[in-house]
Amino acid sequence: MFTGIFKDTSVRILITFMIVLCVLSSLVLPDWMQNNFMYGLSRGLAILGLMLLWRTNLVSFGHALYYGFGAYAVALCQKYFGITDILLRFAIAVIAAGLLGFCLGFILRKYREIFFAMLSLAFSMVLYGLLAKAEFLGSTDGMSISPSTLLGMELTRQYLFYLITFFVICAAISIQAYLRSTLGHLTTAIQDNEIRVEYLGYSVQKAIHIKYVMSACLAGGAGGLMAASLGQVDPDSMVNWNVSGELVFITIMSGWGNILAPFIGAIIFEFIRTYAFEWAPQAWAAIVGGTLLAIIFFFPGGIWSVIEKVFNYGKKKNVK
Amino acid sequence: MLNDTVLKASDLNKSFSGIVAAKDINVSINQGEIVGIIGANGAGKTVFVNMITGYLKPTSGKIEFLGEDITGIEPRNATHIGLCRSFQISQVFMTMSVKQNLMIAMSLSKKSGKALLDPIADEEISKECDKILELYKIMDQSNNIVSTLSQGIRKLLDIAMAVVGNPKVILLDEPTSGVSVEEKFGIMDIVIAALKQTETSVLFVEHDMEIVERYVDRVIAFYQGEIICDAPPKVALSDKKVIEYVLGH
Ligand SMILES: Nc1ncnc2c1ncn2[C@@H]1O[C@H](COP(=O)(O)OP(=O)(O)OP(=O)(O)O)[C@@H](O)[C@H]1O
Ligand SMILES: [Mg+2]
């Protein structure tokens, strides 16, 4: 599956980008910026998951279900088993969300378009309702998450940053390996023509199910890392429908052209939000709406298409 | 049952809320046979193809393939056992290139399980694809995106994608529909020549009697869901019922 993956241009660009981020963060970045990068990278995992679904023309308006599920899995394991190890936290979040996605996938794989989108929203609202009512999970106040450890040692913020980039690299490489595989190519094929895929001998529902579980795992991992870096989980910022909406928004903003796109999109989103709250706290909704309009009208391929254009422009000049 | 019978349908019936689309259909097809299926619009030709390949479940009746009961099989399993089809309206991946279309088809027929996670770009599979592209004479279109290509090329690609797994039986639903008159014979020459190299039995639906006469060993004529004639082309095309209900004069 992974043979020759490091020769892949996208993978090389991704790793270079992450290394540059790590170096910047250890040398020059102020804390608040470092936090923004950390949140952006964590959340980027969920966006990567949505991008996968988007490639089959499926949009999930309820991905906060898995995002929140991963985050709460981390919180619960801390409360009942005292688990604070970051590797375990990430694994638990990914596996918990993956299992949930596997179960719900049997239902969702039968639906497309608006039904698919809304069904996942419905499930996320159920989870929200349960969490908001559950006293032992802190109801609407949520729970606090203690700082992560690594193999029994305390983890500084700086090391947490490195580890998050490490998780991101692993996840993104796996996804790239999947995308270049036969199964990954079915992704676009299904979007094109489901009947033909069936007649080629592969179950469309199974292909969608596999992808759905991958996407749930990514969202769960994102939630887990977010919980660890925020130090807090609560239903409103983890599971509510507006969180799902935000995830879809960042996905559209990022574009689906490359595995790096979701992370760049998510990071930019964090910065927009920080500045917006500082300079124009009342205008957040308008800024989000305006950005979305600008992207849909001018850059339907998202931020990634802009980046591509800039680089291709440079290349053409070099040739001359 | 004869040894070389590959496909056998017994008493197939299909109705859609009152409309009878197939009525008491009994056919058996031998290995290597080339059969033309004719009939006016709405006679039930596509329904027949759809039932055989599992896209529609018959209301009653039985379908056997190589001696095994396959009634109501899923299309993907029909493909696995060597019962393939092409479509009246080409079903290809429009946003991809000809080669990519074929690569996907070839990988799915050659690989399964974990191997599907290996990169699709594979020397061996690519070579096999090139062979088929040569055989179907669409090599020069290899890198073009399908949506930019003519109906004729799409039809050829559609058929090429169905033969990657070396099927025992292939059903072609109007391989020349939507194709210009000049192109028709060219396409059929290519397809029949390619399929004759194998032991594949071919059933193809066709409206053009010139084509039927030229290529088939046997004709099956449909009228209102029923088979009204099953004979060699010379006999069938001069049959009174066929002349009246299929040829329309
Ligand atoms: N899914 C369906 N639901 C309802 N009726 C159907 C369906 N499919 C086919 N029919 C009906 O069954 C009959 C046979 O249709 P079929 O498509 O097999 O015709 P055909 O012989 O292939 O005609 P053509 O030459 O136009 O392709 C028609 O009356 C058609 O309306
Ligand atoms: Mg038809």
Side-chain angles (χ1 to χ4, degrees):
Chain A
M1 178 182 182
F2 292 103
T3 33
I5 192 75
F6 291 105
K7 288 196 193 115
D8 189 295
T9 324
S10 299
V11 167
R12 287 184 171 175
I13 295 176
L14 176 97
I15 293 178
T16 315
F17 181 85
M18 294 301 161
I19 291 176
V20 169
L21 270 193
C22 284
V23 172
L24 281 181
S25 111
S26 72
L27 295 179
V28 289
L29 289 186
D31 282 352
W32 69 271
M33 270 209 190
Q34 196 181 34
N35 281 340
N36 273 352
F37 277 111
M38 213 144 75
Y39 303 151
L41 289 176
S42 306
R43 208 198 297 257
L45 284 177
I47 311 302
L48 187 61
L50 282 175
M51 180 186 99
L52 271 189
L53 289 177
W54 192 13
R55 281 178 165 236
T56 316
N57 251 353
L58 294 169
V59 178
S60 164
F61 278 120
H63 243 47
L65 173 66
Y66 301 106
Y67 184 69
F69 203 74
Y72 269 85
V74 165
L76 279 173
C77 283
Q78 178 189 323
K79 185 172 175 187
Y80 291 107
F81 306 110
I83 293 174
T84 54
D85 189 281
I86 186 71
L87 299 176
L88 283 178
R89 279 180 162 171
F90 185 64
I92 287 166
V94 168
I95 293 168
L99 284 175
L100 181 64
F102 178 71
C103 296
L104 296 183
F106 284 102
I107 305 173
L108 277 145
R109 68 190 211 169
K110 298 196 177 117
Y111 294 89
R112 303 288 181 275
E113 296 169 6
I114 192 77
F115 301 102
F116 181 91
M118 287 309 172
L119 201 56
S120 41
L121 176 63
F123 283 121
S124 77
M125 293 308 283
V126 171
L127 181 69
Y128 177 79
L130 292 175
L131 290 174
K133 283 270 177 297
E135 293 284 336
F136 73 106
L137 294 174
S139 312
T140 48
D141 291 338
M143 299 159 79
S144 68
I145 307 283
S146 54
S148 300
T149 57
L150 178 67
L151 310 172
M153 292 175 292
E154 293 252 341
L155 200 60
T156 61
R157 220 67 201 142
Q158 186 62 53
Y159 278 94
L160 180 62
F161 188 97
Y162 295 148
L163 275 168
I164 288 179
T165 41
F166 173 71
F167 292 140
V168 162
I169 290 175
C170 294
I173 288 181
S174 308
I175 297 303
Q176 183 67 13
Y178 163 77
L179 286 177
R180 65 177 192 158
S181 74
T182 307
L183 210 51
H185 277 80
L186 277 188
T187 303
T188 341
I190 288 172
Q191 177 189 347
D192 248 12
N193 196 326
E194 291 197 14
I195 297 176
R196 174 49 99 174
V197 172
E198 284 281 336
Y199 269 105
L200 289 180
Y202 203 82
S203 161
V204 168
Q205 290 197 9
K206 187 172 160 193
I208 288 180
H209 200 160
I210 293 172
K211 183 191 280 260
Y212 191 72
V213 172
M214 292 172 77
S215 147
C217 286
L218 287 167
L225 292 182
M226 204 63 171
S229 44
L230 279 173
Q232 157 84 18
V233 296
D234 65 87
D236 273 307
S237 64
M238 294 289 187
V239 200
N240 207 356
W241 60 270
N242 60 315
V243 180
S244 296
E246 235 168 57
L247 294 178
V248 173
F249 168 75
I250 305 172
T251 310
I252 297 174
M253 188 175 92
S254 310
W256 62 327
N258 190 283
I259 44 166
L260 183 55
F263 301 100
I264 294 183
I267 290 169
I268 291 179
F269 181 81
E270 291 299 333
F271 279 94
I272 298 180
R273 178 150 65 186
T274 312
Y275 282 112
F277 276 119
E278 213 165 289
W279 292 339
Q282 309 303 324
W284 176 235
I287 292 172
V288 169
T291 317
L292 198 53
L293 284 178
I295 284 169
I296 291 172
F297 286 134
F298 302 115
F299 315 105
I303 292 170
W304 188 257
S305 68
V306 180
I307 295 176
E308 243 176 3
K309 253 181 216 148
V310 171
F311 275 85
N312 285 344
Y313 184 73
K315 267 187 206 153
K316 264 177 213 151
K317 270 197 163 167
N318 285 345
V319 171
K320 277 175 192 173
Chain B
M1 194 171 61
L2 271 171
N3 259 347
D4 58 352
T5 300
V6 280
L7 181 71
K8 186 175 173 199
S10 333
D11 302 320
L12 282 191
N13 282 284
K14 178 77 191 176
S15 47
F16 298 102
S17 50
I19 302 169
V20 178
K23 196 175 164 206
D24 299 329
I25 292 180
N26 284 289
V27 211
S28 54
I29 307 292
N30 296 328
Q31 188 169 19
E33 213 172 11
I34 298 183
V35 181
I37 297 177
I38 60 173
N41 291 114
K45 305 179 296 291
T46 298
V47 167
F48 174 72
V49 172
N50 282 344
M51 283 194 297
I52 299 290
T53 57
Y55 190 67
L56 289 174
K57 296 200 179 7
T59 316
S60 68
K62 186 168 157 188
I63 302 165
E64 283 164 280
F65 180 70
L66 303 174
E68 255 179 70
D69 186 349
I70 58 153
T71 320
I73 195 176
E74 293 282 341
R76 58 175 175 278
N77 295 329
T79 304
H80 288 311
I81 60 174
L83 181 56
C84 297
R85 72 172 295 182
S86 73
F87 299 84
Q88 187 162 353
I89 298 163
S90 320
Q91 302 291 328
V92 288
F93 306 127
M94 288 291 196
T95 60
M96 302 184 192
S97 74
V98 169
K99 180 78 179 267
Q100 282 171 327
N101 268 269
L102 210 54
M103 287 288 284
I104 290 181
M106 188 66 87
S107 306
L108 282 180
S109 97
K110 294 258 184 281
K111 296 176 175 176
S112 63
K114 258 174 62 188
L116 289 174
L117 283 171
D118 292 338
I120 197 166
D122 178 314
E123 285 269 330
E124 223 171 277
I125 287 186
S126 172
K127 269 189 199 143
E128 296 256 344
C129 285
D130 287 347
K131 266 190 225 158
I132 292 195
L133 290 174
E134 290 283 1
L135 203 55
Y136 283 81
K137 305 211 164 46
I138 41 178
M139 193 59 171
D140 51 334
Q141 308 288 348
S142 178
N143 293 320
N144 294 339
I145 300 296
V146 174
S147 62
T148 65
L149 299 174
S150 74
Q151 278 296 339
I153 307 282
R154 288 185 207 176
K155 285 275 178 186
L156 282 171
L157 175 61
D158 190 288
I159 296 167
M161 285 170 83
V163 301
V164 290
N166 292 322
K168 278 259 176 246
V169 173
I170 187 162
L171 294 99
L172 309 174
D173 197 354
E174 306 206 11
T176 64
S177 73
V179 173
S180 68
V181 184
E182 307 87 69
E183 262 187 304
K184 274 189 178 186
F185 283 98
I187 287 181
M188 286 311 292
D189 279 342
I190 294 171
V191 171
I192 297 293
L195 287 171
K196 275 211 165 143
Q197 291 184 9
T198 59
E199 293 276 77
T200 316
S201 313
V202 186
L203 284 83
F204 71 91
V205 177
E206 186 54 65
H207 282 286
D208 188 328
M209 292 309 140
E210 263 186 82
I211 288 186
V212 172
E213 270 189 301
R214 171 151 4 156
Y215 299 100
V216 309
D217 310 323
R218 175 178 163 196
V219 170
I220 298 178
F222 278 78
Y223 175 65
Q224 293 189 347
E226 270 182 278
I227 294 184
I228 53 168
C229 183
D230 182 348
K234 277 241 161 60
V235 183
L237 295 183
S238 51
D239 185 274
K240 236 178 73 191
K241 274 195 200 158
V242 173
I243 292 175
E244 185 176 351
Y245 296 128
V246 180
L247 310 176
H249 38 253

